[in-house]
Amino acid sequence: MSGNEAGGMDMFWMKHALCLAARGAASGEVPVGAVVVRSKEVVGEGYNQREKKNDPTAHAEIIAIRQAAGNLGRWRLDDCDIYVTLEPCPMCAGALVMARIGRIFYGTKDPRWGACGTLYDIPRDVRWNHSCTIRGGILAEDCAKMLREFFQARRQPAVQGGEMAERSKAGDSKSSRR
Ligand SMILES: [Zn+2]
């Protein structure tokens, strides 16, 4: 692998995932975006849509791999890579193993839910009959910043709305943050 070229492509796809995340933020979703790539082509993409769909499983990665499997007409995605702005949670890490995804590239670590090396390391557990290559830290600061700004903006009106609003908002943001 010629490092520089691979690095450039990684950043290119992560920027694409960031654009998807921004779309989520614009509609009030926690901004996480994911893109599934095969032979330098997008085969699936998604962003967190838990609020809109009232679906606890509507994470960016799940939406993206469902779309990829639909487009390719098969569930096995071993020749695909996924780029996601936030380290996948246990559900998504499990789904990525189930999809036999080739490689996982993520942006910022998730200290609360991260299951690709932080709390768990599900895709690299040798007990599965499939293991993925994982690389984190791609445009990590941009990915973290988008999340930080989203939560900051969401907290602001609550502070002005008084203590009760602040309290319920804080509870809400705590429970609904991935
Ligand atoms: Zn997830």
Side-chain angles (χ1 to χ4, degrees), residues 4 10-11 15 32 36 39 45 57 80 82 87 95 134 147-148 154 162 165 168 173:
N4 280 346
D10 291 348
M11 284 198 268
K15 278 180 190 157
V32 179
V36 177
S39 308
E45 57 184 25
T57 72
C80 300
I82 190 164
E87 181 182 359
I134 302 175
L147 284 160
R148 210 162 45 231
R154 213 161 69 159
S168 73
S173 85

Side-chain angles (χ1 to χ4, degrees), residues 25 45 59 109 115 122 129 142 164-165:
E45 57 184 25
H59 285 189
K109 276 185 190 303
I122 289 172
N129 71 351
D142 296 297
M164 280 306 285

Side-chain angles (χ1 to χ4, degrees), residues 59 61 88-89 91-92 178:
H59 285 189
E61 301 94 311
C89 72
M91 172 183 71
C92 292
R178 292 172 60 89

Side-chain angles (χ1 to χ4, degrees), residues 6-176:
M9 283 314 287
D10 291 348
M11 284 198 268
F12 175 82
W13 293 120
M14 194 57 78
K15 278 180 190 157
H16 187 87
L18 271 164
C19 288
L20 292 159
R23 253 192 259 173
S27 49
E29 305 279 355
V30 173
V32 179
V35 55
V36 177
V37 178
R38 179 179 170 269
S39 308
K40 297 182 181 170
E41 265 182 56
V42 174
V43 290
E45 57 184 25
Y47 54 88
N48 177 37
Q49 291 191 62
R50 201 173 41 181
E51 304 299 333
K52 184 181 170 203
K53 293 181 185 285
N54 286 322
D55 178 357
T57 72
H59 285 189
E61 301 94 311
I62 302 289
I63 293 168
I65 60 172
R66 278 200 176 127
Q67 200 181 89
N71 283 337
L72 296 172
R74 53 182 159 91
W75 60 267
R76 182 180 276 273
L77 304 176
D78 52 347
D79 54 352
C80 300
D81 297 328
I82 190 164
Y83 293 82
V84 54
T85 57
L86 180 66
E87 181 182 359
C89 72
M91 172 183 71
C92 292
L96 292 170
V97 173
M98 291 303 157
R100 312 289 192 268
I101 199 89
R103 294 182 297 176
I104 299 169
F105 298 91
Y106 71 82
T108 189
K109 276 185 190 303
D110 188 348
R112 293 167 57 93
W113 296 99
C116 289
T118 297
L119 297 183
Y120 298 94
D121 199 355
I122 289 172
R124 281 182 294 212
D125 192 315
V126 292
R127 290 169 293 181
W128 313 129
N129 71 351
H130 175 77
S131 74
C132 312
T133 303
I134 302 175
R135 198 145 75 81
I138 298 156
L139 297 179
E141 185 42 41
D142 296 297
C143 296
K145 190 171 165 229
M146 193 177 287
L147 284 160
R148 210 162 45 231
E149 286 175 353
F150 175 81
F151 286 111
Q152 275 163 6
R154 213 161 69 159
R155 271 194 295 269
Q156 240 119 62
V159 174
Q160 285 155 16
E163 203 198 341
M164 280 306 285
E166 162 67 6
R167 213 178 274 167
S168 73
K169 202 79 179 179
D172 172 60
S173 85
K174 203 170 201 179
S175 64
S176 66

